[in-house]
Short mmCIF file of all heavy atoms in Angstrom, two decimals:
data_model
loop_
_atom_site.label_atom_id
_atom_site.label_comp_id
_atom_site.label_asym_id
_atom_site.label_seq_id
_atom_site.Cartn_x
_atom_site.Cartn_y
_atom_site.Cartn_z
N MET X 1 2.76 -40.00 3.49
CA MET X 1 2.17 -39.11 4.47
C MET X 1 2.21 -37.68 3.92
O MET X 1 3.23 -37.21 3.45
CB MET X 1 2.97 -39.20 5.77
CG MET X 1 2.38 -38.44 6.90
SD MET X 1 3.14 -39.00 8.42
CE MET X 1 3.18 -37.51 9.30
N SER X 2 1.10 -37.01 3.99
CA SER X 2 1.03 -35.65 3.45
C SER X 2 1.14 -34.64 4.59
O SER X 2 0.81 -34.91 5.73
CB SER X 2 -0.27 -35.46 2.68
OG SER X 2 -1.35 -35.53 3.57
N GLU X 3 1.55 -33.46 4.20
CA GLU X 3 1.73 -32.39 5.16
C GLU X 3 0.37 -31.74 5.45
O GLU X 3 -0.47 -31.61 4.57
CB GLU X 3 2.67 -31.36 4.55
CG GLU X 3 3.21 -30.36 5.51
CD GLU X 3 4.23 -29.47 4.85
OE1 GLU X 3 5.05 -29.98 4.09
OE2 GLU X 3 4.16 -28.26 5.08
N THR X 4 0.18 -31.29 6.68
CA THR X 4 -1.09 -30.63 7.03
C THR X 4 -1.10 -29.23 6.41
O THR X 4 -0.07 -28.55 6.37
CB THR X 4 -1.25 -30.52 8.55
OG1 THR X 4 -0.15 -29.79 9.08
CG2 THR X 4 -1.29 -31.89 9.19
N PRO X 5 -2.26 -28.78 5.93
CA PRO X 5 -2.32 -27.45 5.31
C PRO X 5 -2.20 -26.34 6.36
O PRO X 5 -2.47 -26.54 7.54
CB PRO X 5 -3.69 -27.44 4.64
CG PRO X 5 -4.49 -28.43 5.40
CD PRO X 5 -3.53 -29.49 5.87
N PHE X 6 -1.77 -25.15 5.89
CA PHE X 6 -1.64 -24.02 6.79
C PHE X 6 -2.99 -23.49 7.22
O PHE X 6 -3.17 -23.05 8.34
CB PHE X 6 -0.85 -22.88 6.12
CG PHE X 6 0.58 -23.23 5.88
CD1 PHE X 6 1.07 -23.32 4.59
CD2 PHE X 6 1.44 -23.47 6.93
CE1 PHE X 6 2.39 -23.63 4.37
CE2 PHE X 6 2.76 -23.79 6.73
CZ PHE X 6 3.25 -23.86 5.44
N ARG X 7 -3.94 -23.50 6.32
CA ARG X 7 -5.30 -23.03 6.61
C ARG X 7 -6.29 -24.15 6.32
O ARG X 7 -6.07 -24.97 5.44
CB ARG X 7 -5.66 -21.85 5.70
CG ARG X 7 -4.95 -20.59 6.02
CD ARG X 7 -5.44 -19.51 5.07
NE ARG X 7 -4.84 -18.25 5.36
CZ ARG X 7 -5.46 -17.27 6.01
NH1 ARG X 7 -6.70 -17.40 6.38
NH2 ARG X 7 -4.85 -16.15 6.24
N PRO X 8 -7.39 -24.13 7.03
CA PRO X 8 -8.43 -25.11 6.70
C PRO X 8 -8.99 -24.85 5.30
O PRO X 8 -9.02 -23.73 4.81
CB PRO X 8 -9.51 -24.87 7.76
CG PRO X 8 -8.90 -24.00 8.79
CD PRO X 8 -7.71 -23.34 8.20
N ARG X 9 -9.43 -25.89 4.67
CA ARG X 9 -9.93 -25.81 3.30
C ARG X 9 -11.15 -24.88 3.19
O ARG X 9 -11.32 -24.16 2.21
CB ARG X 9 -10.30 -27.22 2.83
CG ARG X 9 -10.40 -27.38 1.35
CD ARG X 9 -10.61 -28.83 1.03
NE ARG X 9 -9.35 -29.53 0.89
CZ ARG X 9 -8.79 -29.80 -0.27
NH1 ARG X 9 -9.39 -29.45 -1.37
NH2 ARG X 9 -7.65 -30.43 -0.34
N GLU X 10 -11.99 -24.88 4.22
CA GLU X 10 -13.19 -24.04 4.19
C GLU X 10 -12.82 -22.56 4.18
O GLU X 10 -13.43 -21.76 3.48
CB GLU X 10 -14.08 -24.33 5.42
CG GLU X 10 -14.68 -25.72 5.44
CD GLU X 10 -13.68 -26.76 5.93
OE1 GLU X 10 -12.73 -26.42 6.66
OE2 GLU X 10 -13.86 -27.93 5.54
N LYS X 11 -11.81 -22.17 4.96
CA LYS X 11 -11.36 -20.78 4.98
C LYS X 11 -10.81 -20.38 3.62
O LYS X 11 -11.03 -19.27 3.15
CB LYS X 11 -10.28 -20.58 6.04
CG LYS X 11 -10.80 -20.47 7.43
CD LYS X 11 -11.29 -19.07 7.64
CE LYS X 11 -11.50 -18.81 9.10
NZ LYS X 11 -12.13 -17.54 9.34
N LEU X 12 -10.08 -21.28 2.99
CA LEU X 12 -9.52 -21.00 1.67
C LEU X 12 -10.63 -20.79 0.64
O LEU X 12 -10.58 -19.83 -0.14
CB LEU X 12 -8.62 -22.16 1.25
CG LEU X 12 -7.90 -22.00 -0.08
CD1 LEU X 12 -6.96 -20.83 -0.04
CD2 LEU X 12 -7.17 -23.27 -0.43
N PHE X 13 -11.63 -21.63 0.66
CA PHE X 13 -12.75 -21.47 -0.27
C PHE X 13 -13.51 -20.17 -0.01
O PHE X 13 -13.94 -19.49 -0.94
CB PHE X 13 -13.71 -22.65 -0.17
CG PHE X 13 -13.16 -23.92 -0.76
CD1 PHE X 13 -13.50 -25.15 -0.22
CD2 PHE X 13 -12.31 -23.90 -1.85
CE1 PHE X 13 -12.99 -26.32 -0.75
CE2 PHE X 13 -11.80 -25.06 -2.39
CZ PHE X 13 -12.13 -26.27 -1.84
N GLU X 14 -13.63 -19.81 1.27
CA GLU X 14 -14.31 -18.56 1.61
C GLU X 14 -13.54 -17.35 1.07
O GLU X 14 -14.13 -16.44 0.49
CB GLU X 14 -14.43 -18.48 3.14
CG GLU X 14 -15.10 -17.23 3.64
CD GLU X 14 -15.10 -17.20 5.17
OE1 GLU X 14 -15.27 -18.27 5.79
OE2 GLU X 14 -14.93 -16.10 5.71
N LYS X 15 -12.23 -17.36 1.24
CA LYS X 15 -11.41 -16.26 0.72
C LYS X 15 -11.47 -16.21 -0.81
O LYS X 15 -11.53 -15.13 -1.40
CB LYS X 15 -9.95 -16.42 1.15
CG LYS X 15 -9.74 -16.27 2.61
CD LYS X 15 -9.20 -14.92 2.91
CE LYS X 15 -8.88 -14.84 4.38
NZ LYS X 15 -8.87 -13.48 4.85
N GLN X 16 -11.44 -17.36 -1.47
CA GLN X 16 -11.51 -17.39 -2.94
C GLN X 16 -12.83 -16.81 -3.43
O GLN X 16 -12.86 -16.03 -4.38
CB GLN X 16 -11.35 -18.82 -3.44
CG GLN X 16 -9.93 -19.30 -3.44
CD GLN X 16 -9.82 -20.73 -3.94
OE1 GLN X 16 -10.81 -21.46 -4.00
NE2 GLN X 16 -8.63 -21.13 -4.28
N ARG X 17 -13.93 -17.18 -2.78
CA ARG X 17 -15.23 -16.62 -3.17
C ARG X 17 -15.24 -15.11 -2.97
O ARG X 17 -15.77 -14.37 -3.80
CB ARG X 17 -16.35 -17.27 -2.36
CG ARG X 17 -16.87 -18.54 -2.96
CD ARG X 17 -18.21 -18.93 -2.34
NE ARG X 17 -18.14 -19.10 -0.90
CZ ARG X 17 -17.80 -20.24 -0.29
NH1 ARG X 17 -17.51 -21.30 -0.99
NH2 ARG X 17 -17.76 -20.31 1.02
N TYR X 18 -14.65 -14.65 -1.87
CA TYR X 18 -14.63 -13.21 -1.58
C TYR X 18 -13.85 -12.47 -2.67
O TYR X 18 -14.32 -11.48 -3.23
CB TYR X 18 -13.99 -12.98 -0.22
CG TYR X 18 -13.73 -11.53 0.10
CD1 TYR X 18 -14.77 -10.66 0.39
CD2 TYR X 18 -12.44 -11.02 0.12
CE1 TYR X 18 -14.55 -9.33 0.67
CE2 TYR X 18 -12.20 -9.69 0.41
CZ TYR X 18 -13.25 -8.85 0.69
OH TYR X 18 -13.02 -7.54 0.96
N PHE X 19 -12.66 -12.93 -3.00
CA PHE X 19 -11.83 -12.22 -3.96
C PHE X 19 -12.33 -12.35 -5.39
O PHE X 19 -12.10 -11.47 -6.21
CB PHE X 19 -10.38 -12.71 -3.87
CG PHE X 19 -9.65 -12.15 -2.68
CD1 PHE X 19 -9.21 -12.96 -1.67
CD2 PHE X 19 -9.41 -10.79 -2.59
CE1 PHE X 19 -8.54 -12.45 -0.58
CE2 PHE X 19 -8.75 -10.26 -1.50
CZ PHE X 19 -8.31 -11.09 -0.50
N GLN X 20 -13.02 -13.42 -5.72
CA GLN X 20 -13.53 -13.58 -7.08
C GLN X 20 -14.83 -12.80 -7.30
O GLN X 20 -15.18 -12.50 -8.44
CB GLN X 20 -13.75 -15.06 -7.38
CG GLN X 20 -12.45 -15.80 -7.53
CD GLN X 20 -12.65 -17.30 -7.63
OE1 GLN X 20 -13.77 -17.79 -7.53
NE2 GLN X 20 -11.56 -18.02 -7.80
N SER X 21 -15.52 -12.43 -6.23
CA SER X 21 -16.81 -11.77 -6.40
C SER X 21 -16.68 -10.24 -6.42
O SER X 21 -17.59 -9.56 -6.87
CB SER X 21 -17.76 -12.18 -5.28
OG SER X 21 -17.28 -11.68 -4.05
N ILE X 22 -15.58 -9.70 -5.94
CA ILE X 22 -15.43 -8.24 -5.85
C ILE X 22 -15.14 -7.66 -7.23
O ILE X 22 -14.39 -8.23 -8.01
CB ILE X 22 -14.31 -7.89 -4.86
CG1 ILE X 22 -14.74 -8.25 -3.46
CG2 ILE X 22 -13.97 -6.42 -4.92
CD1 ILE X 22 -13.73 -7.90 -2.41
N GLN X 23 -15.72 -6.49 -7.51
CA GLN X 23 -15.55 -5.86 -8.81
C GLN X 23 -14.48 -4.77 -8.78
O GLN X 23 -14.28 -4.09 -9.77
CB GLN X 23 -16.88 -5.24 -9.27
CG GLN X 23 -17.98 -6.26 -9.44
CD GLN X 23 -17.65 -7.29 -10.51
OE1 GLN X 23 -17.07 -6.96 -11.54
NE2 GLN X 23 -17.98 -8.54 -10.25
N LYS X 24 -13.81 -4.57 -7.65
CA LYS X 24 -12.78 -3.54 -7.55
C LYS X 24 -11.50 -3.98 -8.26
O LYS X 24 -11.38 -5.11 -8.71
CB LYS X 24 -12.43 -3.27 -6.09
CG LYS X 24 -13.51 -2.60 -5.30
CD LYS X 24 -12.99 -2.33 -3.90
CE LYS X 24 -14.04 -1.80 -2.99
NZ LYS X 24 -13.55 -1.60 -1.65
N HIS X 25 -10.53 -3.07 -8.30
CA HIS X 25 -9.23 -3.42 -8.86
C HIS X 25 -8.56 -4.47 -8.00
O HIS X 25 -8.79 -4.56 -6.80
CB HIS X 25 -8.34 -2.18 -8.94
CG HIS X 25 -8.86 -1.16 -9.88
ND1 HIS X 25 -8.88 -1.35 -11.24
CD2 HIS X 25 -9.40 0.07 -9.67
CE1 HIS X 25 -9.40 -0.29 -11.82
NE2 HIS X 25 -9.72 0.59 -10.90
N THR X 26 -7.67 -5.23 -8.58
CA THR X 26 -7.02 -6.33 -7.88
C THR X 26 -6.22 -5.85 -6.68
O THR X 26 -6.19 -6.49 -5.65
CB THR X 26 -6.08 -7.08 -8.83
OG1 THR X 26 -6.72 -7.25 -10.07
CG2 THR X 26 -5.69 -8.41 -8.27
N TYR X 27 -5.55 -4.71 -6.79
CA TYR X 27 -4.68 -4.25 -5.72
C TYR X 27 -5.44 -3.56 -4.59
O TYR X 27 -4.84 -3.12 -3.62
CB TYR X 27 -3.59 -3.33 -6.27
CG TYR X 27 -4.10 -2.14 -7.03
CD1 TYR X 27 -4.38 -0.95 -6.39
CD2 TYR X 27 -4.30 -2.22 -8.40
CE1 TYR X 27 -4.84 0.14 -7.09
CE2 TYR X 27 -4.76 -1.13 -9.11
CZ TYR X 27 -5.02 0.05 -8.44
OH TYR X 27 -5.48 1.11 -9.14
N LEU X 28 -6.75 -3.43 -4.68
CA LEU X 28 -7.53 -2.81 -3.61
C LEU X 28 -8.57 -3.76 -3.02
O LEU X 28 -9.57 -3.33 -2.47
CB LEU X 28 -8.25 -1.56 -4.14
CG LEU X 28 -7.37 -0.40 -4.55
CD1 LEU X 28 -8.23 0.69 -5.15
CD2 LEU X 28 -6.59 0.13 -3.39
N LYS X 29 -8.35 -5.05 -3.13
CA LYS X 29 -9.38 -6.00 -2.70
C LYS X 29 -9.39 -6.26 -1.20
O LYS X 29 -10.43 -6.49 -0.63
CB LYS X 29 -9.20 -7.32 -3.44
CG LYS X 29 -9.68 -7.23 -4.86
CD LYS X 29 -9.69 -8.58 -5.51
CE LYS X 29 -10.28 -8.48 -6.89
NZ LYS X 29 -10.28 -9.74 -7.58
N GLY X 30 -8.24 -6.26 -0.55
CA GLY X 30 -8.19 -6.58 0.87
C GLY X 30 -8.62 -5.41 1.73
O GLY X 30 -8.74 -4.28 1.26
N PRO X 31 -8.85 -5.65 3.01
CA PRO X 31 -9.33 -4.57 3.89
C PRO X 31 -8.28 -3.48 4.15
O PRO X 31 -8.63 -2.33 4.34
CB PRO X 31 -9.71 -5.30 5.17
CG PRO X 31 -8.98 -6.58 5.13
CD PRO X 31 -8.80 -6.93 3.68
N PHE X 32 -7.00 -3.81 4.16
CA PHE X 32 -5.96 -2.83 4.46
C PHE X 32 -5.15 -2.46 3.23
O PHE X 32 -4.09 -1.82 3.35
CB PHE X 32 -5.02 -3.37 5.54
CG PHE X 32 -5.72 -3.60 6.85
CD1 PHE X 32 -6.00 -4.88 7.29
CD2 PHE X 32 -6.12 -2.53 7.63
CE1 PHE X 32 -6.64 -5.09 8.48
CE2 PHE X 32 -6.77 -2.72 8.82
CZ PHE X 32 -7.04 -4.01 9.25
N ASP X 33 -5.61 -2.82 2.04
CA ASP X 33 -4.84 -2.54 0.83
C ASP X 33 -4.86 -1.07 0.45
O ASP X 33 -3.97 -0.61 -0.25
CB ASP X 33 -5.36 -3.38 -0.33
CG ASP X 33 -4.99 -4.85 -0.18
OD1 ASP X 33 -4.08 -5.13 0.61
OD2 ASP X 33 -5.61 -5.68 -0.84
N LYS X 34 -5.85 -0.34 0.91
CA LYS X 34 -5.88 1.09 0.60
C LYS X 34 -4.72 1.82 1.26
O LYS X 34 -4.21 2.79 0.75
CB LYS X 34 -7.21 1.69 1.02
CG LYS X 34 -8.34 1.29 0.12
CD LYS X 34 -9.63 1.98 0.51
CE LYS X 34 -10.77 1.58 -0.38
NZ LYS X 34 -11.27 0.24 -0.14
N VAL X 35 -4.29 1.32 2.42
CA VAL X 35 -3.18 1.95 3.13
C VAL X 35 -1.90 1.78 2.33
O VAL X 35 -1.16 2.73 2.12
CB VAL X 35 -3.03 1.36 4.54
CG1 VAL X 35 -1.79 1.88 5.23
CG2 VAL X 35 -4.25 1.67 5.37
N THR X 36 -1.63 0.56 1.87
CA THR X 36 -0.38 0.31 1.18
C THR X 36 -0.39 0.78 -0.26
O THR X 36 0.65 1.13 -0.79
CB THR X 36 -0.03 -1.19 1.21
OG1 THR X 36 -1.09 -1.93 0.62
CG2 THR X 36 0.19 -1.67 2.62
N SER X 37 -1.54 0.80 -0.90
CA SER X 37 -1.59 1.17 -2.32
C SER X 37 -1.89 2.63 -2.55
O SER X 37 -1.63 3.13 -3.64
CB SER X 37 -2.66 0.34 -3.03
OG SER X 37 -2.30 -1.01 -3.01
N VAL X 38 -2.45 3.32 -1.58
CA VAL X 38 -2.84 4.72 -1.79
C VAL X 38 -2.15 5.64 -0.80
O VAL X 38 -1.49 6.61 -1.19
CB VAL X 38 -4.38 4.87 -1.69
CG1 VAL X 38 -4.79 6.32 -1.84
CG2 VAL X 38 -5.07 4.02 -2.73
N ALA X 39 -2.28 5.38 0.49
CA ALA X 39 -1.82 6.33 1.50
C ALA X 39 -0.30 6.47 1.54
O ALA X 39 0.21 7.58 1.62
CB ALA X 39 -2.34 5.90 2.87
N ILE X 40 0.42 5.36 1.47
CA ILE X 40 1.88 5.44 1.54
C ILE X 40 2.47 6.15 0.33
O ILE X 40 3.31 7.04 0.49
CB ILE X 40 2.48 4.03 1.75
CG1 ILE X 40 2.10 3.52 3.14
CG2 ILE X 40 3.99 4.06 1.59
CD1 ILE X 40 2.50 2.10 3.41
N PRO X 41 2.07 5.83 -0.92
CA PRO X 41 2.60 6.60 -2.05
C PRO X 41 2.24 8.08 -2.01
O PRO X 41 3.05 8.93 -2.38
CB PRO X 41 1.98 5.93 -3.28
CG PRO X 41 1.68 4.55 -2.84
CD PRO X 41 1.32 4.67 -1.40
N VAL X 42 1.03 8.41 -1.54
CA VAL X 42 0.65 9.82 -1.45
C VAL X 42 1.51 10.53 -0.41
O VAL X 42 1.96 11.66 -0.63
CB VAL X 42 -0.85 9.95 -1.11
CG1 VAL X 42 -1.21 11.35 -0.67
CG2 VAL X 42 -1.68 9.54 -2.30
N ALA X 43 1.79 9.88 0.71
CA ALA X 43 2.64 10.47 1.74
C ALA X 43 4.07 10.67 1.23
O ALA X 43 4.68 11.71 1.49
CB ALA X 43 2.64 9.59 2.99
N LEU X 44 4.59 9.69 0.52
CA LEU X 44 5.95 9.83 -0.04
C LEU X 44 6.01 10.95 -1.06
O LEU X 44 6.96 11.75 -1.07
CB LEU X 44 6.40 8.51 -0.67
CG LEU X 44 6.71 7.38 0.30
CD1 LEU X 44 6.99 6.09 -0.45
CD2 LEU X 44 7.90 7.74 1.17
N ALA X 45 5.03 11.04 -1.94
CA ALA X 45 5.01 12.10 -2.94
C ALA X 45 4.87 13.47 -2.27
O ALA X 45 5.55 14.43 -2.67
CB ALA X 45 3.87 11.87 -3.93
N GLY X 46 4.03 13.57 -1.27
CA GLY X 46 3.85 14.84 -0.56
C GLY X 46 5.12 15.30 0.13
O GLY X 46 5.49 16.47 0.05
N SER X 47 5.79 14.37 0.80
CA SER X 47 7.03 14.76 1.49
C SER X 47 8.13 15.12 0.48
O SER X 47 8.90 16.05 0.72
CB SER X 47 7.51 13.64 2.42
OG SER X 47 7.82 12.49 1.68
N ALA X 48 8.18 14.42 -0.67
CA ALA X 48 9.18 14.75 -1.69
C ALA X 48 8.92 16.14 -2.27
O ALA X 48 9.86 16.93 -2.44
CB ALA X 48 9.16 13.71 -2.80
N ILE X 49 7.67 16.47 -2.54
CA ILE X 49 7.33 17.79 -3.08
C ILE X 49 7.67 18.87 -2.05
O ILE X 49 8.21 19.93 -2.40
CB ILE X 49 5.85 17.84 -3.49
CG1 ILE X 49 5.64 16.99 -4.74
CG2 ILE X 49 5.38 19.27 -3.72
CD1 ILE X 49 4.19 16.79 -5.12
N PHE X 50 7.40 18.62 -0.78
CA PHE X 50 7.73 19.59 0.27
C PHE X 50 9.23 19.82 0.34
O PHE X 50 9.69 20.98 0.41
CB PHE X 50 7.20 19.10 1.62
CG PHE X 50 7.70 19.91 2.78
CD1 PHE X 50 7.19 21.17 3.02
CD2 PHE X 50 8.69 19.42 3.61
CE1 PHE X 50 7.65 21.93 4.08
CE2 PHE X 50 9.16 20.17 4.67
CZ PHE X 50 8.64 21.43 4.91
N LEU X 51 10.02 18.75 0.31
CA LEU X 51 11.48 18.90 0.41
C LEU X 51 12.06 19.60 -0.81
O LEU X 51 12.98 20.41 -0.68
CB LEU X 51 12.13 17.53 0.61
CG LEU X 51 11.87 16.88 1.98
CD1 LEU X 51 12.41 15.46 2.00
CD2 LEU X 51 12.49 17.71 3.08
N ILE X 52 11.53 19.29 -1.99
CA ILE X 52 11.99 19.98 -3.20
C ILE X 52 11.64 21.46 -3.12
O ILE X 52 12.48 22.33 -3.44
CB ILE X 52 11.40 19.32 -4.45
CG1 ILE X 52 12.01 17.94 -4.66
CG2 ILE X 52 11.62 20.19 -5.69
CD1 ILE X 52 11.32 17.11 -5.72
N GLY X 53 10.44 21.78 -2.70
CA GLY X 53 10.03 23.18 -2.56
C GLY X 53 10.88 23.92 -1.55
O GLY X 53 11.28 25.07 -1.78
N ARG X 54 11.17 23.28 -0.44
CA ARG X 54 12.02 23.92 0.58
C ARG X 54 13.43 24.15 0.05
O ARG X 54 14.04 25.20 0.31
CB ARG X 54 12.06 23.05 1.83
CG ARG X 54 12.74 23.75 3.01
CD ARG X 54 12.68 22.93 4.25
NE ARG X 54 13.63 21.82 4.11
CZ ARG X 54 13.94 20.98 5.08
NH1 ARG X 54 13.35 21.10 6.25
NH2 ARG X 54 14.81 20.03 4.89
N GLY X 55 13.95 23.20 -0.71
CA GLY X 55 15.28 23.37 -1.29
C GLY X 55 15.33 24.51 -2.29
O GLY X 55 16.29 25.30 -2.30
N ILE X 56 14.31 24.62 -3.12
CA ILE X 56 14.26 25.72 -4.09
C ILE X 56 14.15 27.06 -3.36
O ILE X 56 14.82 28.04 -3.72
CB ILE X 56 13.11 25.51 -5.08
CG1 ILE X 56 13.42 24.32 -5.98
CG2 ILE X 56 12.86 26.76 -5.91
CD1 ILE X 56 12.28 23.89 -6.87
N TYR X 57 13.32 27.12 -2.32
CA TYR X 57 13.18 28.35 -1.54
C TYR X 57 14.52 28.75 -0.92
O TYR X 57 14.93 29.91 -0.94
CB TYR X 57 12.12 28.16 -0.47
CG TYR X 57 11.95 29.36 0.43
CD1 TYR X 57 11.18 30.44 0.02
CD2 TYR X 57 12.57 29.41 1.68
CE1 TYR X 57 11.02 31.55 0.84
CE2 TYR X 57 12.43 30.52 2.49
CZ TYR X 57 11.65 31.59 2.06
OH TYR X 57 11.51 32.68 2.87
N ASN X 58 15.21 27.77 -0.32
CA ASN X 58 16.50 28.06 0.31
C ASN X 58 17.54 28.52 -0.71
O ASN X 58 18.34 29.40 -0.43
CB ASN X 58 17.01 26.83 1.06
CG ASN X 58 16.21 26.56 2.32
OD1 ASN X 58 15.47 27.42 2.79
ND2 ASN X 58 16.34 25.36 2.85
N MET X 59 17.52 27.94 -1.90
CA MET X 59 18.47 28.35 -2.93
C MET X 59 18.19 29.77 -3.41
O MET X 59 19.12 30.55 -3.62
CB MET X 59 18.43 27.39 -4.12
CG MET X 59 19.19 26.11 -3.89
SD MET X 59 19.48 25.18 -5.38
CE MET X 59 17.84 24.79 -5.91
N THR X 60 16.93 30.12 -3.58
CA THR X 60 16.62 31.45 -4.09
C THR X 60 16.92 32.54 -3.07
O THR X 60 17.25 33.66 -3.45
CB THR X 60 15.15 31.56 -4.51
OG1 THR X 60 14.33 31.21 -3.41
CG2 THR X 60 14.85 30.65 -5.68
N HIS X 61 16.82 32.22 -1.78
CA HIS X 61 17.06 33.21 -0.75
C HIS X 61 18.45 33.09 -0.14
O HIS X 61 18.79 33.88 0.74
CB HIS X 61 16.00 33.12 0.35
CG HIS X 61 14.63 33.48 -0.14
ND1 HIS X 61 14.31 34.75 -0.55
CD2 HIS X 61 13.51 32.77 -0.29
CE1 HIS X 61 13.05 34.79 -0.94
NE2 HIS X 61 12.53 33.59 -0.78
N GLY X 62 19.24 32.13 -0.58
CA GLY X 62 20.61 32.00 -0.08
C GLY X 62 20.70 31.52 1.35
O GLY X 62 21.65 31.83 2.06
N ILE X 63 19.73 30.74 1.79
CA ILE X 63 19.72 30.23 3.17
C ILE X 63 20.49 28.90 3.21
O ILE X 63 20.33 28.07 2.33
CB ILE X 63 18.27 30.01 3.65
CG1 ILE X 63 17.50 31.30 3.60
CG2 ILE X 63 18.25 29.43 5.05
CD1 ILE X 63 16.01 31.14 3.84
N GLY X 64 21.31 28.75 4.24
CA GLY X 64 21.98 27.47 4.46
C GLY X 64 23.19 27.25 3.58
O GLY X 64 23.60 26.10 3.38
N LYS X 65 23.81 28.32 3.05
CA LYS X 65 24.99 28.15 2.22
C LYS X 65 26.19 27.86 3.10
O LYS X 65 26.28 28.33 4.22
CB LYS X 65 25.27 29.41 1.40
CG LYS X 65 24.25 29.66 0.32
CD LYS X 65 24.68 30.68 -0.68
CE LYS X 65 25.25 31.94 -0.09
NZ LYS X 65 25.49 32.99 -1.06
N LYS X 66 27.14 27.10 2.57
CA LYS X 66 28.38 26.87 3.27
C LYS X 66 29.35 27.98 2.88
O LYS X 66 29.44 28.34 1.70
CB LYS X 66 28.96 25.50 2.92
CG LYS X 66 28.10 24.39 3.44
CD LYS X 66 28.81 23.09 3.40
CE LYS X 66 27.94 22.04 4.05
NZ LYS X 66 28.62 20.80 4.24
N GLU X 67 30.05 28.49 3.83
CA GLU X 67 30.97 29.62 3.58
C GLU X 67 32.22 29.16 2.89
O GLU X 67 32.82 28.23 3.13
CB GLU X 67 31.33 30.29 4.93
CG GLU X 67 30.11 30.79 5.66
CD GLU X 67 29.50 32.04 5.04
OE1 GLU X 67 30.26 32.83 4.47
OE2 GLU X 67 28.28 32.18 5.12
#
């Protein structure tokens, strides 16, 4: 006795045709992949640059020193 598949075979073939026909990069093929591959790293880099800049500003002006 075999186990039932998670997805119907037709849906699997449809997804395979979709992913094999696209000419984009592999990591940007899905509909929401731009969020995980582009937006999140850009947000992390932006916040890191902001925090580093704020730290340098505070050090140069002597703000937030412990007595």
Side-chain angles (χ1 to χ4, degrees):
M1 186 164 145
S2 66
E3 194 175 318
T4 58
F6 292 116
R7 288 182 178 257
R9 199 174 272 261
E10 294 79 25
K11 281 279 194 187
L12 182 63
F13 288 147
E14 179 183 322
K15 293 259 185 203
Q16 282 179 344
R17 273 195 303 273
Y18 172 71
F19 283 115
Q20 289 172 357
S21 66
I22 291 182
Q23 299 298 321
K24 291 183 186 178
H25 295 291
T26 317
Y27 56 90
L28 294 175
K29 285 188 175 179
F32 297 107
D33 288 343
K34 287 184 180 74
V35 173
T36 58
S37 295
V38 177
I40 292 174
V42 166
L44 289 173
S47 63
I49 289 171
F50 170 75
L51 290 173
I52 291 170
R54 189 176 74 172
I56 291 172
Y57 177 81
N58 288 345
M59 281 194 297
T60 56
H61 294 294
I63 301 170
K65 290 194 314 188
K66 293 194 175 188
E67 302 287 329

